[in-house]
Amino acid sequence: MNYTVNQIAAITNAKVIGDENLIIKNIAFDSRIIYSTKNTAFIAINTQKNSGEKFIESAVNRGIDVVISEHHFPQFENVTWIIVENSVEFLQKLAQYHFENAHFKSIGITGSNGKTILKEWLYQCLWNEFPTVKSPKSFNSQIGLPLSLLQINDSHKLGIFEVGISKPDEMEKLEEIFQPEIGLLTHIGTAHLANFQSEEELIDEKIKLFKHSEVIIFNGDNQLALNKINNLYSSKKLISYGFKENNQVYFKNNISKEENVIVKYFDEEISFPVHQRDEATLTNALALVTILKELGIENDKIIEKINALKAVEMRLEAIEGQKNNIVINDSFNLDLDSLKTALQFLNEYNKPKRSLVLTDILGVNSDSKALYEEVSDLVNEQKFDSVFLIGNEISKFSDLFKSKTFTFINTQELIESKHLTEIENQLILLKGARKFEIERLKDILELRKHDTVLEINLNAILHNINYHKSLLKPSTKMMAMVKANSYGLGSYEISEFLQHHHIDYLGVAFVDEGVELRKKGITVPIIVMNPEQHSYETVIEYNLEPEIYSFRVLELFYQALQKSGYDKKYPVHIKLETGMHRLGFKEYELDQLSQTLAHKNLKVQSIFSHLSSSDMPTETEFTLNQLKIFDENSTYLIEKLDYAPIRHILNSSGITNYTAHQYDMVRIGIGMLGESQNSEIQKQLRSVVSFKTVISQISNVEEGESIGYSRRFRTDHKTKIATIPVGYADGIPRLIGNQVGNVGINKTLAPIVGSICMDMMMINVDHIPNVKEGDTVTVFNTKPSLKEFADYCKTITYEVLTSISPRVKRIYVKD
């Protein structure tokens, strides 16, 4: 993309206010993650749920001088405006023009699963055959696809783009923007199926993308998709792939037994080794072979490229480091796209001091000087305190970097220099190509070095929040409960992420939890649900907002407020008792409450209550009665106050089961972590937490031998036993030993045997093929799930999460 402001206006029928000759090469849509302002315009995207125009000030403060918006805001001086009728349509129209004027071959990938993996695999296979552009990350939506297409430049000969839809009538608009020469339909699954009446309707929507494609490659194992594509697009070149032999591309041999797989491609056979043999990987391999053949790649080269494929790691890890550092580990791959993504991620943290470790960028067919000039421009805008460059190539251009810069031939040189161990209170980004093994630096810098980890997927949290928001009115606020160390996940880390994504309120149980967040830079309003009487002065000092649930608490807090000299109306939150019988004012106390509040220097920020049984269909009548009491009592109190505080009563299950009673705000807790008692809702949520460890040792135990303390388990045959380094000191209850509970190895459940020890437990791995020491063990995530693990423990998921020991290392991941 390389247009003047005037050219963009002419293409999109927009109006310009300001300098028409400015050059625009990039469009940013999120003011929080602007990593470069050079030749960048900020687009204020307005949707039904939100208005991007409220973030214009933030973008301008970051240095943006061109704004694309539906309205002109003259208070921002020295800004050039591109005024449009509809921001999303503007983006799509510009992308459509840009794509139509690009003369290159294009591949469009749609489907339910496998889009991103196949896109990345294709890029790995084809970048050195053709100058190739691809969608960054999973940019495939009504906004993501246009932003992807705008990356195309004159040097590109091939484009690989994901196209995603989540509801009817979306693909038609995307097909107007992007008409791929080769269309690929991957596996059709349950993703987004809830928004369609049937699988048939979903397939009908997906295949609209191929209206102008010359070649359509699709998974023919789905009979419905096979029939529809054959009927609708019989005049096009159609190639189906899958496990069934009626496809043009399928596996000829027994893939479960033989070392190599043999792909039958029409009349040809292609044989190559496959290390992972799960259905998804094998299906994606068939699609990959089919596209490579269609692009004219020779068989020998296809085998060579498949053998060279690297695992697609689309994740960044944030880890607590020594000396109060936070380590961002993105040592899985390195290209310009992933560098930009990593730099965006840094903006989610408020640590002002930062350092960067960066290696050579490998496998790029471009001029080194031009490449590293672009890299240094991106890095220089971040104002790192220190930059550590690793590799012969990037070290040649160290003078382009403005920060204090150090160069090293390899990672070992950097380790031996001891520079990294001197860093304190910083954000340290590790960004490198796999060859340089800079993950070794993570091992040196991290605070906790245990093999047992609790992995928290931040993007999954955001997905779950957005799903719950989709059920609400755009104006409804949301409070996230981060009490009890964010249900064991890490109070500050989760709160900082939520603050970055504009959560309205945070909720903690005790004052100390709120103080910790304030000390670490959290500025979002924080409600303290159970303020203890000795902590009221601290509440005021740290600008926390207390729950008031009785006259005693009200009077004690007011006395502390007077003593502090606070001279404004202090925000408080009034709890009403509606049937849970835990805390709160009762109906007969409301008159006295309103009179008392009228004479005190307090502002009722919100009125709320708590549902006891919103997750239980058998208690619907009771819950509706709670809602009725809340509505009547809160309405009465508001009339007495003569102003309207925020009202909220719905928790996570309340949001999904009693959406009509959302009032002004809702509170999300376990729903944010991907858990719901409603099976249909559960399908829409993403798993957030993965508790993992590794096998320390495998032993063959003879028949009749005992295992563990007290000899509570004895083998009845020669048994293979694995020991793993996690026990009751890590939060595993002893009651799930002796074959009550299971863990997962290689997607297979393995029973826990013997008594669980403080730091270890033993599992039976007799039935697990190819198991070896060092293999990953899943305590809970998908198999077993968190809910299944809680069932083993005869408790609820909340207790499982909050019981996990602080000594277990937390890793924060964005995939």
Side-chain angles (χ1 to χ4, degrees):
M1 181 176 164
N2 191 352
Y3 299 104
T4 65
V5 167
N6 190 45
Q7 286 173 323
I8 289 174
I11 293 165
T12 60
N13 298 318
K15 175 185 175 184
V16 176
I17 301 173
D19 188 347
E20 296 183 344
N21 297 313
L22 291 176
I23 300 293
I24 301 301
K25 295 184 178 180
N26 304 292
I27 293 179
F29 68 97
D30 188 332
S31 64
R32 299 163 299 182
I33 55 175
I34 295 173
Y35 57 87
S36 173
T37 58
K38 185 178 180 181
N39 301 125
T40 298
F42 173 71
I43 182 167
I45 295 177
N46 290 338
T47 65
Q48 289 183 339
K49 289 286 183 183
N50 208 352
S51 170
E53 292 177 351
K54 63 186 180 184
F55 304 115
I56 290 174
E57 183 176 5
S58 173
V60 172
N61 289 341
R62 287 179 177 269
I64 290 290
D65 55 9
V66 179
V67 174
I68 303 162
S69 174
E70 294 172 14
H71 301 94
H72 177 221
F73 298 88
Q75 66 266 36
F76 299 109
E77 298 178 3
N78 303 318
V79 170
T80 292
W81 297 84
I82 301 176
I83 306 300
V84 302
E85 285 190 17
N86 181 290
S87 54
V88 175
E89 290 178 3
F90 159 85
L91 196 61
Q92 293 172 340
K93 188 180 294 185
L94 181 60
Q96 180 179 354
Y97 174 88
H98 192 65
F99 175 73
E100 288 174 349
N101 286 274
H103 305 290
F104 73 157
K105 189 179 288 289
S106 58
I107 301 171
I109 308 175
T110 191
S112 301
N113 307 106
K115 297 188 294 293
T116 302
I117 292 289
L118 274 166
K119 176 199 69 184
E120 296 296 332
W121 277 2
L122 283 166
Y123 182 78
Q124 286 185 39
C125 291
L126 295 170
W127 68 267
N128 57 357
E129 301 289 335
F130 319 92
T132 303
V133 61
K134 62 182 173 71
S135 305
K137 299 186 288 185
S138 296
F139 274 33
N140 58 33
S141 64
Q142 301 288 310
I143 295 169
L145 177 63
L147 289 169
S148 299
L149 295 175
L150 289 171
Q151 294 183 116
I152 301 167
N153 66 43
D154 291 340
S155 70
H156 293 134
K157 303 300 180 187
L158 175 69
I160 310 168
F161 300 101
E162 293 182 50
V163 186
I165 53 101
S166 58
K167 54 188 178 183
D169 303 323
E170 288 186 334
M171 189 62 86
E172 194 165 350
K173 170 56 73 174
L174 294 178
E175 200 276 336
E176 287 180 18
I177 301 165
F178 172 53
Q179 298 165 2
E181 184 178 331
I182 298 173
L184 171 61
L185 180 70
T186 66
H187 172 73
I188 296 293
T190 58
H192 307 303
L193 192 56
N195 297 326
F196 292 86
Q197 293 182 7
S198 64
E199 181 184 358
E200 182 176 5
E201 186 183 29
L202 175 64
I203 292 171
D204 284 339
E205 186 70 20
K206 296 273 188 187
I207 64 177
K208 288 178 183 177
L209 177 65
F210 309 139
K211 192 187 301 183
H212 293 92
S213 298
E214 296 176 13
V215 181
I216 303 173
I217 297 166
F218 61 98
N219 187 335
D221 286 347
N222 185 308
Q223 191 63 43
L224 198 54
L226 177 70
N227 294 341
K228 285 187 168 293
I229 290 175
N230 280 329
N231 291 336
L232 188 62
Y233 295 126
S234 57
S235 62
K236 300 179 184 291
K237 183 176 181 180
L238 305 179
I239 307 175
S240 70
Y241 65 89
F243 286 90
K244 297 177 182 177
E245 293 188 8
N246 61 305
N247 293 295
Q248 284 98 353
V249 185
Y250 62 92
F251 291 110
K252 181 182 177 183
N253 63 330
N254 187 329
I255 56 176
S256 63
K257 293 183 178 179
E258 298 182 33
E259 183 177 345
N260 281 14
V261 297
I262 301 173
V263 173
K264 183 80 170 175
Y265 178 85
F266 291 90
D267 296 326
E268 300 179 56
E269 292 183 1
I270 307 170
S271 174
F272 53 87
V274 173
H275 303 296
Q276 285 183 254
R277 299 199 175 220
D278 58 280
E279 185 175 338
T281 299
L282 291 169
T283 305
N284 290 337
L286 288 173
L288 178 67
V289 168
T290 307
I291 291 184
L292 294 179
K293 287 292 292 181
E294 181 59 29
L295 292 174
I297 308 297
E298 297 293 331
N299 290 357
D300 289 347
K301 211 173 225 184
I302 289 176
I303 296 168
E304 179 185 324
K305 290 178 182 295
I306 289 175
N307 287 334
L309 280 177
K310 298 171 183 174
V312 178
E313 296 280 6
M314 296 166 292
R315 58 185 239 162
L316 299 94
E317 298 178 340
I319 301 162
E320 186 180 4
Q322 300 178 35
K323 298 186 177 181
N324 200 33
N325 295 313
I326 295 175
V327 181
I328 309 297
N329 177 33
D330 190 12
S331 56
F332 302 109
N333 60 62
L334 176 59
D335 56 26
L336 273 175
D337 283 344
S338 67
L339 176 60
K340 292 173 183 177
T341 299
L343 295 177
Q344 289 174 359
F345 188 43
L346 294 187
N347 290 320
E348 297 186 13
Y349 290 84
N350 61 12
K351 278 188 179 289
K353 298 187 72 175
R354 302 171 173 184
S355 290
L356 169 68
V357 177
L358 185 65
T359 74
D360 284 350
I361 298 178
L362 304 177
V364 178
N365 288 340
S366 61
D367 175 61
S368 290
K369 187 172 188 299
L371 171 66
Y372 288 111
E373 282 177 348
E374 186 172 357
V375 168
S376 62
D377 283 346
L378 290 171
V379 170
N380 290 336
E381 287 203 57
Q382 313 312 309
K383 296 181 172 56
F384 286 101
D385 287 78
S386 303
V387 172
F388 303 92
L389 304 177
I390 301 177
N392 288 314
E393 197 65 26
I394 197 170
S395 295
K396 295 175 186 176
F397 302 98
S398 60
D399 59 322
L400 297 175
F401 296 86
K402 295 179 180 178
S403 305
K404 184 171 22 173
T405 303
F406 305 85
T407 61
F408 305 90
I409 299 303
N410 54 48
T411 301
Q412 185 61 33
E413 271 196 11
L414 173 54
I415 292 171
E416 292 172 356
S417 75
K418 306 290 187 184
H419 283 304
L420 289 181
T421 57
E422 297 171 359
I423 297 173
E424 294 184 24
N425 197 33
Q426 289 197 28
L427 199 63
I428 305 173
L429 172 60
L430 309 179
K431 184 66 184 150
R434 285 175 185 268
K435 168 187 170 182
F436 293 94
E437 298 180 335
I438 63 170
E439 64 270 16
R440 294 166 59 199
L441 304 178
K442 179 197 77 168
D443 298 336
I444 293 169
L445 293 168
E446 65 185 355
L447 181 62
R448 295 176 177 84
K449 303 181 185 299
H450 308 304
D451 287 329
T452 302
V453 300
L454 192 72
E455 191 175 275
I456 297 103
N457 189 316
L458 297 175
N459 275 358
I461 290 177
L462 185 60
H463 167 87
N464 297 335
I465 285 176
N466 287 337
Y467 173 76
H468 285 86
K469 280 186 175 181
S470 74
L471 306 176
L472 305 171
K473 295 179 293 187
S475 59
T476 302
K477 298 180 185 294
M478 181 171 281
M479 181 197 304
M481 302 307 298
V482 292
K483 60 183 179 177
N485 197 30
S486 285
Y487 298 82
L489 306 192
S491 181
Y492 166 64
E493 292 82 0
I494 301 301
S495 297
E496 186 172 52
F497 178 74
L498 295 173
Q499 176 174 269
H500 178 77
H501 287 281
H502 303 298
I503 202 73
D504 297 293
Y505 275 86
L506 296 173
V508 298
F510 299 106
V511 170
D512 290 349
E513 296 174 325
V515 170
E516 180 190 1
L517 295 179
R518 286 283 186 255
K519 284 181 175 179
K520 291 185 175 180
I522 300 300
T523 58
V524 173
I526 299 174
I527 298 178
V528 182
M529 295 297 190
N530 191 19
E532 298 163 296
Q533 63 186 50
H534 70 273
S535 64
Y536 296 147
E537 291 180 7
T538 308
V539 166
I540 298 162
E541 180 184 356
Y542 285 92
N543 191 29
L544 305 173
E545 301 180 12
E547 169 187 320
I548 304 294
Y549 53 83
S550 71
F551 289 111
R552 183 183 69 87
V553 169
L554 177 59
E555 190 58 38
L556 288 172
F557 181 73
Y558 187 63
Q559 289 174 10
L561 193 64
Q562 288 180 306
K563 183 180 176 181
S564 73
Y566 193 89
D567 59 357
K568 299 176 183 177
K569 285 189 174 293
Y570 200 93
V572 297
H573 300 262
I574 300 297
K575 175 73 174 289
L576 300 182
E577 162 56 40
T578 58
M580 186 155 176
H581 298 297
R582 190 166 65 176
L583 296 173
F585 289 97
K586 300 171 179 64
E587 182 179 2
Y588 67 83
E589 297 176 305
L590 296 182
D591 283 329
Q592 181 185 348
L593 175 60
S594 62
Q595 293 167 14
T596 305
L597 288 169
H599 296 95
K600 296 191 182 299
N601 194 28
L602 300 171
K603 179 188 178 184
V604 179
Q605 194 73 14
S606 83
I607 302 170
F608 73 103
S609 190
H610 194 82
L611 299 176
S612 73
S613 311
S614 59
D615 59 340
M616 299 177 64
T618 56
E619 296 294 346
T620 299
E621 183 179 350
F622 181 85
T623 302
L624 290 173
N625 189 56
Q626 272 199 278
L627 292 165
K628 179 175 178 291
I629 293 170
F630 177 72
D631 189 72
E632 291 172 352
N633 291 356
S634 61
T635 299
Y636 183 81
L637 185 56
I638 287 171
E639 289 173 356
K640 293 290 184 178
L641 291 173
D642 202 28
Y643 62 89
I646 294 168
R647 287 193 284 181
H648 51 107
I649 189 171
L650 298 187
N651 52 9
S652 293
S653 51
I655 295 170
T656 54
N657 297 334
Y658 298 93
T659 311
H661 301 274
Q662 61 192 266
Y663 291 100
D664 308 296
M665 185 161 70
V666 297
R667 304 187 300 271
I668 191 167
I670 201 71
M672 177 172 70
L673 308 186
E675 296 297 315
S676 174
Q677 293 294 327
N678 185 317
S679 59
E680 291 305 310
I681 298 298
Q682 185 68 59
K683 292 176 184 177
Q684 304 302 318
L685 303 179
R686 288 181 59 188
S687 175
V688 167
V689 188
S690 181
F691 193 5
K692 297 189 294 190
T693 188
V694 299
I695 295 176
S696 300
Q697 186 179 40
I698 295 176
S699 303
N700 290 310
V701 179
E702 298 298 326
E703 179 182 348
E705 292 288 336
S706 60
I707 294 170
Y709 285 121
S710 305
R711 306 189 71 194
R712 287 181 180 153
F713 180 83
R714 296 172 189 260
T715 58
D716 58 7
H717 63 282
K718 188 173 181 178
T719 307
K720 189 183 293 184
I721 298 294
T723 301
I724 61 176
V726 58
Y728 59 77
D730 301 292
I732 308 296
R734 292 182 75 245
L735 67 87
I736 70 167
N738 291 302
Q739 303 186 90
V740 173
N742 299 277
V743 296
I745 303 176
N746 298 336
K747 299 183 179 179
T748 303
L749 290 178
I752 301 166
V753 295
S755 297
I756 291 174
C757 312
M758 182 181 289
D759 312 299
M760 288 175 279
M761 62 185 180
M762 287 68 75
I763 53 179
N764 185 335
V765 293
D766 256 354
H767 59 298
I768 300 177
N770 304 317
V771 65
K772 60 186 183 299
E773 293 175 358
D775 278 358
T776 297
V777 179
T778 300
V779 180
F780 60 73
N781 179 26
T782 52
K783 193 168 188 176
S785 68
L786 173 56
K787 176 65 169 60
E788 288 168 334
F789 188 83
D791 289 342
Y792 300 152
C793 303
K794 297 184 176 3
T795 187
I796 58 175
T797 53
Y798 298 80
E799 184 177 353
V800 168
L801 292 174
T802 55
S803 297
I804 297 170
S805 167
R807 79 176 186 178
V808 174
K809 179 170 62 180
R810 271 69 171 170
I811 296 178
Y812 300 90
V813 172
K814 288 193 76 177
D815 59 10

